[in-house]
Amino acid sequence: MNRTYCIIDASEVNSVDFDQVAETSADTLRYSLDGTKTFVKYEGDQPSFLSGKQEYTHSEILSILSGDEWTSDDII
């Protein structure tokens, strides 16, 4: 089964039911560089806590995550 991805506001993390997504806790989420957004992935039907959220395929989310909002070119 294919995974589906949804971007959510960081303020919505407390509403995530981690039994319904691939991530295990808020600590395992990847956040945007400014810390305001994150995403979850799941298989099957969209969990009710994500109702109305835009869904993305794997290739779509990879394209989004390679953008400036999620990836820095700065070398540390």
Side-chain angles (χ1 to χ4, degrees), residues 14-70:
N14 61 348
S15 70
V16 173
D17 180 349
F18 287 99
D19 291 332
Q20 297 183 35
V21 297
E23 296 74 22
T24 57
S25 72
D27 296 332
T28 62
L29 296 172
R30 175 179 170 185
Y31 290 86
S32 58
L33 294 177
D34 66 4
T36 62
K37 296 179 185 174
T38 188
F39 66 96
V40 293
K41 55 187 171 283
Y42 54 90
E43 294 182 3
D45 295 333
Q46 186 179 56
S48 60
F49 67 87
L50 294 172
S51 182
K53 297 288 184 189
Q54 173 74 39
E55 294 181 308
Y56 300 96
T57 64
H58 185 250
S59 60
E60 289 171 333
I61 200 73
L62 286 179
S63 179
I64 292 167
L65 296 179
S66 67
D68 292 342
E69 192 173 8
W70 295 87

Side-chain angles (χ1 to χ4, degrees), residues 1-13:
M1 191 175 275
N2 291 331
R3 285 192 170 169
T4 304
Y5 302 78
C6 284
I7 295 173
I8 61 173
D9 291 335
S11 62
E12 297 175 281
V13 169

